[in-house]
């Protein structure tokens, strides 16, 4: 679900990361929906070679997914033909600007080795285990054998924590209705309206993407299955132990199995591609947002409890936008809290009161799930209501934006309308205590589409003087409005960044040359003039401001789009 | 004939006194069968302001005007009376001259004359309204204008007194901050005692103030707590304020007035944006 400026941002990101040719391919796919190979080259006006390599790059980086569709033949007797379509996955393209965040997250949890492993995967899109080992060895300037074990260990940790996964199927079948037909059905009327609000086309397109991703995804059990050779290191510990204890009569069977495993291991290491599992990173950040919210709204104790609950139930979450966590009994919560470093000394009473506090707050951070378990079994179960927390966070962000953009009184009116639904101008003036200015304030909000006005005509001629005009704030529309503004602002930051770099191209090139000479060991006779030094200082300051702003802005985009 | 008329007049008045809550036309018709005489008598009494006519449902009812009132209206023409009655019907909402014209079907000069007469006798008064600044409405002299007309406590001289409202709001907020938790009555008492205002503020006005404070996100509404019973609405300082900064509004685009016209390569574009220039050059 990308808005109009979301699409622009997608193209922009691809352009900065992969260049102009690839951008043209993405532009076609983003704006036109799923396309066959021929169509892409027609619309993008690129040669088939260029399109082919672009698509390969994009698939390698999970920005594009291919899928096969079987068409009915033209006549009943004609053979069915199979067409491969390509669809852009805008979410994954947006994730490209979050790579620094992912790296920081993985370093916090697993240290620098894991960070460099993930970095390699992010850089190359997809790699086999063998390639990962090769890369690490090359970086450390050591033999492959030396680093292999270490890498495998880190790798196992990351797979177990679900930060990396096996790649989805390269070309799944989509055997339902032709998605392009589905698209063209609504696209005719809707394509003209490119408002900030999601058009019908966007919704259908995102539906197609969801279906393709679902079709391509490996089974949940296979997704995080370690290579056979390393199975002993990780989760399936118990299997190998069982094999050891088996009877002598089964020895021959076991030998055959080992043979199989050896070949399988070789295949696994050389052929199975791995990639970073963005979902898990999103989940981690989403949990972090929830915990942070509770920390500011309530207190540290409550946030420790919430964080422990989320960690304990993390494995059972099935989607990133999960509404509720899996219910946890009071005993379960206590155990979970005690197993975290922050909560290990928390007294039972404190935990209980924090849970009570979380459950009784009007936002409803956690909710009671069923009354089945009696007090003997640890009392009631509780589940974290992540949806509520995220919603509350979004709401406060929206209100903050309205407050700073339109001022205190507009914010008051906006909140009034969100609470009360529909009101007349006079009522708004009275209840918001701004009877004189209400008209101008409402117009400000209307112009930026934060509120809507509806005419209820009392005469068939729609005489304005006799009609009633009702004002309302449609929260969903506002959310999309804000999201589109966020994308717009992010696009602007990127463009300005590129523009500033282009402006100072000459000096930057000079600096690069100087650095290269210094590296080469030759004496640098040429130095920068004071003007040039000033320029370099300026550009580095500006890019820093722009980069930091973009990262912060992206936190808000995550909140509104991905959580 | 004249004595007959005098007799009839007396009889009508007697009947009126006998039917204190209104003399129906039906009774009159029965008592005085001579229609000619009856109509003459009633016309005479009406013109002398000694009798008033009402309608009760479908019936016409007569009442004798008491003497005080009769004195008050002495010498007024029937047009004046018509205007007076229209104004009386409008009660403390008042009535605008254009509406008067429509209601009475009189010409503007006639109405002006009648209003002048009535105002001269202190029977009606003109009041300015807040909804339409240059529009006067008329109402009976002894009435106090309603809240819709004056705008209530928040208006001084027909103008919305935003400063006054702000002062009261600040006072309320201060009191709640000091008190921790307070209900409407406690807040109202404290503000009245503090003597920041001469204007009489009712609970209704304080409720209005509190509602705006809630909408501003400065205070939260809760049910009961501490010494208050659980069914009284209480107020306390909000736990989380509306954020003062956000990632979007920290960059120029977040508060840009021409964001909608901004396009890469357009007349307004991120490359040439002056807001960006300012932002990046401080």
């Amino acid at each position: 679900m990308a808005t109009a400026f979301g699409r622009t941002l997608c193209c922009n990101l691809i352009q900065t990361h992969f260049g102009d040719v690839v951008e043209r391919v993405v532009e076609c796919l983003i704006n036109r929906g799923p396309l066959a190979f021929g169509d892409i080259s027609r619309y993008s006006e690129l040669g088939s070679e260029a399109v082919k390599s672009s698509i390969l790059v994009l698939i390698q980086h999970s920005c594009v997914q291919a899928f096969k569709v079987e068409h009915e033949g033209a006549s009943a007797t004609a053979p069915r033909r199979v067409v491969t379509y390509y669809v852009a996955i805008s979410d994954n393209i947006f994730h490209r600007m979050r790579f620094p965040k992912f790296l920081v997250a993985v370093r916090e949890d697993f240290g620098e080795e894991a960070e460099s492993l993930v970095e390699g995967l992010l850089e190359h899109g997809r790699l086999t285990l063998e390639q990962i080992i090769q890369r690490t060895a090359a970086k450390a300037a050591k033999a492959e054998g030396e680093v292999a074990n270490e890498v495998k260990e880190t790798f196992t940790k990351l797979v177990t924590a679900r930060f990396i996964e096996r790649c989805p199927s390269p070309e799944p079948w989509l055997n339902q209705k032709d998605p392009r037909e589905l698209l063209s059905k609504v696209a005719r009327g809707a394509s003209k309206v490119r408002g900030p609000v999601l058009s019908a086309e966007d919704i259908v397109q995102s539906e197609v993407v969801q279906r393709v991703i679902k079709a391509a995804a490996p089974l949940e059990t296979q997704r995080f299955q370690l290579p056979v050779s390393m199975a002993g290191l990780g989760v399936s510990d118990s299997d190998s132990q069982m094999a050891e204890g088996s009877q002598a009569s089964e020895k021959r069977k076991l030998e055959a199995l080992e043979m199989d495993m050896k070949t399988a291991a070789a295949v696994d290491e050389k052929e199975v591609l791995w990639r970073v599992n963005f979902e898990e990173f999103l989940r981690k950040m989403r949990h972090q947002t929830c915990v942070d919210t509770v920390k500011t709204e309530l207190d540290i104790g409550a946030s420790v409890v919430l964080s422990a609950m989320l960690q304990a139930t993390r494995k059972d979450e099935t989607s990133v936008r999960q509404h509720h966590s899996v219910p946890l009994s009071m005993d379960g919560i206590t155990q979970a809290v005690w197993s975290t470093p922050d909560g290990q000394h928390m007294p039972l009473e404190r935990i209980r009161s924090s849970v009570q506090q979380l459950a009784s707050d009007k936002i409803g951070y956690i909710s009671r799930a069923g009354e089945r378990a009696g007090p003997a079994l640890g009392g009631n179960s509780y589940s974290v209501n992540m949806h509520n927390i995220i919603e509350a966070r979004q709401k406060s962000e929206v209100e903050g934006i309205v407050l700073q953009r339109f001022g205190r009184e507009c914010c008051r009116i906006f909140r009034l309308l969100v609470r009360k639904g529909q009101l007349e101008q006079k009522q708004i003036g009275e209840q918001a205590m701004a009877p004189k200015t209400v008209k101008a304030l409402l117009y400000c909000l209307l112009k930026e589409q934060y509120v809507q006005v509806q005419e209820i005509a009392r005469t068939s001629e729609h005489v304005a003087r006799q009609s009633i005009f009702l004002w309302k704030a449609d929260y969903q529309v506002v959310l999309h409005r804000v999201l589109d503004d966020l994308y717009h602002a992010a696009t602007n930051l990127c463009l300005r960044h590129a523009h500033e770099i282009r402006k100072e191209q000459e000096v930057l090139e000079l600096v690069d040359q100087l650095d290269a000479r210094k590296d080469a060991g030759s004496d640098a006779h040429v130095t920068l003039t004071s003007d040039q030094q000033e320029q370099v200082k300026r550009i580095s300051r500006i890019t820093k401001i722009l980069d930091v702003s973009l990262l912060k802005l992206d936190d808000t985009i995550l909140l509104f789009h991905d959580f | 004939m004249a004595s007959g008329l005098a007799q009839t007049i007396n009889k009508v008045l007697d009947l009126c006194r006998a039917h204190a809550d209104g003399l129906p036309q039906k009774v009159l018709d029965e008592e005085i069968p001579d229609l000619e005489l009856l109509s003459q008598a009633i016309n005479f009494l009406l013109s002398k302001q000694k009798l008033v006519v009402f309608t009760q449902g479908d019936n016409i009812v007569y009442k004798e005007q008491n003497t005080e009132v009769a004195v008050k209206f002495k010498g007024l023409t029937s047009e004046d009376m018509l205007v007076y009655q229209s104004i009386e019907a409008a009660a403390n909402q008042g009535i605008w001259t254009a509406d008067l014209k429509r209601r009475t079907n009189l010409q503007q000069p006639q109405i002006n004359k009648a209003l002048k007469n009535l105002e001269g006798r202190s029977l009606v008064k003109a009041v300015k309204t807040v909804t339409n600044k240059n529009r006067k409405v008329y109402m009976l002299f002894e009435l106090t204008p309603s809240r819709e007309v004056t705008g209530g406590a928040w208006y001084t001289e027909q103008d919305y007194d935003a400063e006054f409202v702000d002062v009261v709001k600040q006072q309320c907020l201060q009191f709640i901050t000091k008190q921790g938790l307070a209900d409407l009555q406690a807040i109202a008492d404290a503000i009245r005692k503090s003597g920041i205002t001469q204007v009489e503020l009712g609970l209704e006005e304080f409720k209005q103030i509190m509602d705006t404070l809630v909408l501003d996100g400065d205070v939260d509404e809760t049910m009961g707590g501490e010494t208050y019973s659980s069914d009284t609405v209480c107020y306390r300082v909000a736990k989380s304020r509306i954020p003062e900064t956000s990632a979007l509004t920290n960059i120029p685009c977040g508060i840009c007035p021409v964001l909608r016209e901004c396009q890469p390569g357009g007349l307004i574009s991120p490359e040439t944006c002056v807001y960006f220039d300012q932002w990046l050059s401080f």
Side-chain angles (χ1 to χ4, degrees):
Chain A
M1 56 166 214
T3 60
F5 272 101
R7 288 191 284 263
T8 323
L9 182 58
C10 268
C11 298
N12 209 298
L13 286 169
I14 291 294
Q15 201 233 352
T16 34
H17 290 195
F18 300 116
D20 292 330
V21 178
V22 184
E23 189 219 345
R24 261 160 79 184
V25 173
V26 168
E27 203 184 331
C28 287
L29 288 173
I30 290 256
N31 288 326
R32 292 173 193 270
L35 290 176
F37 187 83
D39 290 334
I40 299 177
S41 99
R42 194 150 51 86
Y43 288 130
S44 64
E45 295 166 9
L46 290 169
S48 59
E49 266 312 303
V51 174
K52 191 175 165 191
S53 46
S54 301
I55 286 187
L56 281 176
V57 168
L58 289 167
I59 290 180
Q60 170 81 10
H61 286 274
S62 305
C63 297
V64 162
Q65 172 76 45
F67 62 95
K68 279 186 281 195
V69 174
E70 194 171 38
H71 284 280
E72 300 267 333
S75 63
T77 49
R80 290 160 167 259
R81 64 202 168 86
V82 174
V83 182
T84 303
Y85 288 103
Y86 300 90
V87 64
I89 304 173
S90 56
D91 284 2
N92 284 354
I93 299 177
F94 287 133
H95 291 326
R96 299 196 67 80
M97 62 177 171
R98 307 184 176 128
F99 284 175
K101 280 180 202 158
F102 294 165
L103 289 177
V104 170
V106 87
R107 187 170 54 200
E108 269 172 16
D109 280 7
F110 297 105
E112 276 177 27
E113 279 159 37
E115 185 195 355
S116 96
L117 201 157
V118 171
E119 193 185 352
L121 278 174
L122 290 176
E123 209 173 283
H124 295 281
R126 329 182 146 185
L127 291 175
T128 62
L129 182 54
E130 196 185 20
Q131 285 169 317
I132 295 175
I133 295 172
Q134 280 167 359
R135 186 179 170 276
T136 319
K139 257 194 151 179
K142 283 182 191 164
E144 274 173 43
E146 282 178 69
V147 290
N149 273 338
E150 219 172 290
V151 172
K152 278 183 183 172
E153 207 176 301
T154 325
F155 183 82
T156 313
K157 269 195 271 175
L158 286 169
V159 174
T160 321
R162 302 190 172 181
F163 281 126
I164 47 185
E165 63 175 351
R166 287 171 184 240
C167 283
S169 135
E171 215 176 335
W173 284 95
L174 206 68
N175 48 7
Q176 284 145 340
K177 275 177 290 175
D178 181 4
R180 279 173 56 76
E181 264 168 37
L182 205 70
L183 265 183
S184 58
K185 224 181 283 167
V186 283
R188 240 164 257 147
S191 58
K192 290 277 179 285
V193 195
R194 277 282 153 80
V197 183
L198 279 187
S199 61
E201 190 186 352
D202 284 326
I203 292 167
V204 173
Q205 198 166 327
S206 74
E207 205 176 278
V208 171
V209 172
Q210 287 311 318
R211 252 171 52 196
V212 173
I213 291 175
K214 213 172 158 193
L219 285 176
E220 203 60 25
T221 45
Q222 284 167 11
R223 200 167 152 196
F224 304 106
Q225 203 173 43
L226 284 166
V228 181
S229 61
M230 288 151 60
L233 286 164
V235 265
S236 38
D237 236 359
S238 50
D239 291 341
S240 49
Q241 275 168 10
M242 238 166 55
E244 274 170 13
S246 62
Q247 297 292 314
S249 58
E250 286 178 15
K251 202 178 172 190
R252 236 177 40 180
K253 222 177 180 179
L254 199 71
E255 272 167 4
L257 199 72
E258 261 171 18
M259 278 297 289
D260 265 1
M261 271 171 69
K262 258 179 201 161
T263 41
V267 168
D268 258 7
E269 276 188 30
K270 288 207 167 66
E271 286 187 3
V272 174
L273 283 167
W274 297 85
R275 67 168 186 179
V276 172
N277 178 19
F278 296 134
E279 268 183 30
E280 193 59 34
F281 281 100
L282 282 188
R283 185 166 294 138
K284 186 177 157 61
M285 292 197 282
R286 188 171 188 242
H287 286 180
Q288 194 56 47
T289 309
C290 289
V291 172
D292 286 347
T293 310
V294 168
K295 199 187 268 173
T296 47
E297 299 282 313
L298 298 175
D299 56 18
I300 294 179
S303 80
V304 169
V305 170
L306 192 88
S307 145
M309 283 177 78
L310 287 173
Q311 244 170 47
T313 55
R314 184 161 166 178
K315 283 270 151 77
D316 299 314
E317 284 185 31
T318 48
S319 83
V320 178
R321 285 202 195 82
Q322 188 113 4
H323 274 221
H324 296 273
S325 70
V326 177
L328 211 56
S329 69
M330 197 61 215
D331 280 349
I333 296 173
T334 327
Q335 290 306 323
V337 173
W338 283 339
S339 64
T340 59
D342 290 334
Q344 98 206 127
H345 302 301
M346 238 168 139
L348 189 61
E349 257 328 290
R350 181 92 195 282
I351 297 175
R352 270 181 202 285
S353 77
S354 284
V355 167
Q356 229 16 274
Q357 193 186 4
L358 283 163
S360 61
D361 195 279
K362 79 170 175 272
I363 294 177
Y365 299 104
I366 62 176
S367 49
R368 226 183 247 189
E371 313 274 327
R372 283 158 313 197
L377 291 164
N380 300 309
S381 302
Y382 293 91
S383 68
V384 180
N385 203 337
M386 285 179 270
H387 184 68
N388 277 8
I389 304 177
I390 295 296
E391 225 170 39
R393 189 67 186 256
Q394 284 177 345
K395 203 168 152 222
S396 102
E397 193 69 37
V398 168
E399 283 166 1
I401 289 170
V402 173
L403 175 66
Q404 288 146 69
R405 191 155 174 185
F406 304 103
R408 177 129 288 216
E409 282 179 322
C410 272
C411 182
R412 195 187 301 154
I413 291 175
F414 178 74
R415 276 171 61 111
L416 177 73
L417 285 175
V418 169
R419 281 177 181 209
K420 292 276 170 76
Q422 298 187 318
L423 287 176
E424 268 187 276
Q425 182 183 312
K426 203 176 156 213
Q427 292 171 305
I428 298 170
E430 258 166 41
Q431 295 186 29
M433 295 198 83
K436 295 284 154 182
T437 42
V438 65
K439 206 189 244 174
L441 298 177
L442 278 172
Y443 180 68
C444 274
L445 288 167
L446 180 69
K447 200 173 139 223
E448 297 293 327
Q449 297 171 12
Y450 280 83
V451 299
Q452 284 85 41
V453 63
Q454 188 183 10
E455 182 199 13
I456 295 172
R458 275 193 289 198
T459 55
S460 54
E461 290 86 26
H462 290 261
V463 182
R465 284 183 60 169
Q466 288 177 30
S467 297
I468 301 171
F469 291 93
L470 286 180
W471 297 82
K472 64 177 176 190
D474 186 335
Y475 195 62
Q476 288 309 312
V477 174
V478 173
L479 283 185
H480 287 304
R481 172 81 267 164
V482 171
L483 184 61
D484 192 49
D485 282 353
L486 286 167
Y487 283 139
H488 194 163
T491 315
N492 283 357
L493 285 178
C494 290
L495 287 173
R496 184 72 186 207
H497 193 284
H499 173 72
E500 294 290 344
I501 296 284
R502 236 187 347 261
K503 228 167 59 181
E504 309 291 350
Q505 194 75 44
E506 215 172 291
V507 182
L508 291 174
E509 265 168 24
L510 203 63
V511 172
D512 279 348
Q513 278 171 21
L514 282 179
D515 284 349
R517 261 187 234 172
K518 250 180 218 160
D519 284 347
S522 67
D523 292 338
H525 291 298
V526 197
T527 48
L528 296 175
T529 64
S530 63
D531 266 5
Q532 282 169 330
Q533 267 169 359
E534 204 55 38
Q535 268 176 312
V536 172
K537 233 185 249 169
R538 182 180 162 272
I539 188 77
S540 72
R541 196 174 52 90
I542 285 179
T543 47
K544 213 180 275 170
I545 296 177
L546 289 170
D547 282 340
V548 170
S549 301
L550 185 61
L551 281 179
K552 284 211 179 120
L553 200 61
D554 179 53
D555 281 338
T556 322
I557 294 180
L558 275 170
L559 177 68
F560 281 93
H561 180 250
D562 297 275
F563 290 168
Chain B
M1 190 62 198
S3 67
L5 180 63
Q7 257 180 10
T8 319
I9 290 167
N10 281 333
K11 193 162 184 191
V12 170
L13 286 176
D14 284 342
L15 279 170
C16 278
R17 278 164 211 151
H19 295 79
D21 52 343
L23 169 66
Q25 178 82 45
K26 217 166 42 184
V27 182
L28 259 183
D29 289 345
E30 279 164 16
E31 295 287 328
I32 306 161
D34 186 349
L35 268 180
E36 178 72 16
L37 214 53
L38 179 64
S39 58
Q40 273 182 21
I42 286 177
N43 277 338
F44 175 80
L45 282 171
L46 282 175
S47 68
K48 290 286 174 209
Q49 311 283 351
K50 291 199 172 156
L51 200 67
V52 277
V53 191
F54 298 92
T55 51
Q56 270 183 1
D58 292 338
N59 302 324
I60 297 172
V61 181
Y62 299 93
K63 261 186 193 171
E64 190 193 2
Q65 189 75 277
N66 59 39
T67 40
E68 268 173 65
V69 182
V71 167
K72 211 164 81 177
F73 295 129
K74 203 174 171 194
L76 287 182
T77 63
S78 60
E79 281 149 20
D80 295 344
M81 279 315 291
L82 194 58
V83 170
Y84 179 83
Q85 277 165 359
S86 299
I87 292 172
E88 192 179 21
N92 65 355
Q93 297 283 330
I95 185 165
W96 184 36
T97 44
D99 288 332
L100 261 181
K101 195 175 154 192
R102 207 150 36 86
R103 195 76 52 86
T104 57
N105 273 330
L106 293 173
Q107 298 303 312
Q108 192 64 46
Q110 289 174 299
I111 291 177
N112 286 349
K113 201 176 142 206
L115 284 174
K116 210 175 140 197
N117 273 340
L118 293 169
E119 272 188 286
R121 289 184 184 217
S122 295
L123 287 174
V124 301
K125 64 181 171 186
V127 180
K128 278 187 191 160
T129 66
V130 285
T131 41
N132 290 70
K133 251 188 185 167
N134 38 20
R135 190 182 276 191
K136 277 194 286 188
V137 295
Y138 290 89
M139 66 181 70
L140 295 193
F141 193 79
E142 63 271 17
L143 292 178
T144 34
S146 73
R147 243 191 70 182
E148 281 87 69
V149 179
T150 58
W154 309 122
Y155 286 78
T156 1
E157 304 288 322
Q158 278 79 49
D159 254 331
Y160 181 73
D161 198 343
E163 260 170 59
F164 173 51
V165 172
D166 273 350
V167 169
V168 177
K169 263 174 80 176
Q170 285 313 315
Q171 284 290 325
C172 289
L173 190 58
Q174 245 174 46
F175 176 70
I176 296 168
T177 317
K178 210 172 65 188
Q179 209 71 11
L181 191 77
D183 71 344
L184 202 58
Q185 191 63 51
I187 295 166
D189 289 346
I191 302 299
R192 281 182 197 139
K193 224 187 284 169
S194 74
I196 53 160
T197 167
Q198 304 302 314
V199 185
E200 191 62 40
L201 294 174
L203 275 186
E204 210 176 304
E205 273 87 26
F206 280 107
K207 175 89 177 102
Q208 223 183 340
I209 289 278
M210 291 321 295
D211 284 346
T212 35
L213 281 172
V214 170
L215 283 177
D216 278 344
D218 288 331
V219 299
D220 278 344
E221 241 173 17
T222 50
M223 297 307 283
E226 288 178 31
T227 53
Y228 298 102
S229 69
S230 63
D231 56 345
T232 43
V233 179
C234 292
Y235 299 93
R236 61 154 183 249
V237 177
K239 269 187 298 188
S240 55
R241 295 288 175 85
I242 299 171
E244 293 286 337
T245 60
S246 77
L248 179 62
T249 48
N250 280 347
I251 64 168
C253 300
I255 43 172
C256 179
V258 286
L259 188 66
R260 300 280 161 268
E261 280 96 69
C262 179
Q263 282 277 337
L267 190 62
I268 297 164
S269 75
E271 285 91 358
T272 57
C273 177
V274 284
Y275 297 111
F276 262 117
D277 287 341
Q278 280 170 14
W279 180 50
L280 293 173
S281 67
F282 69 89

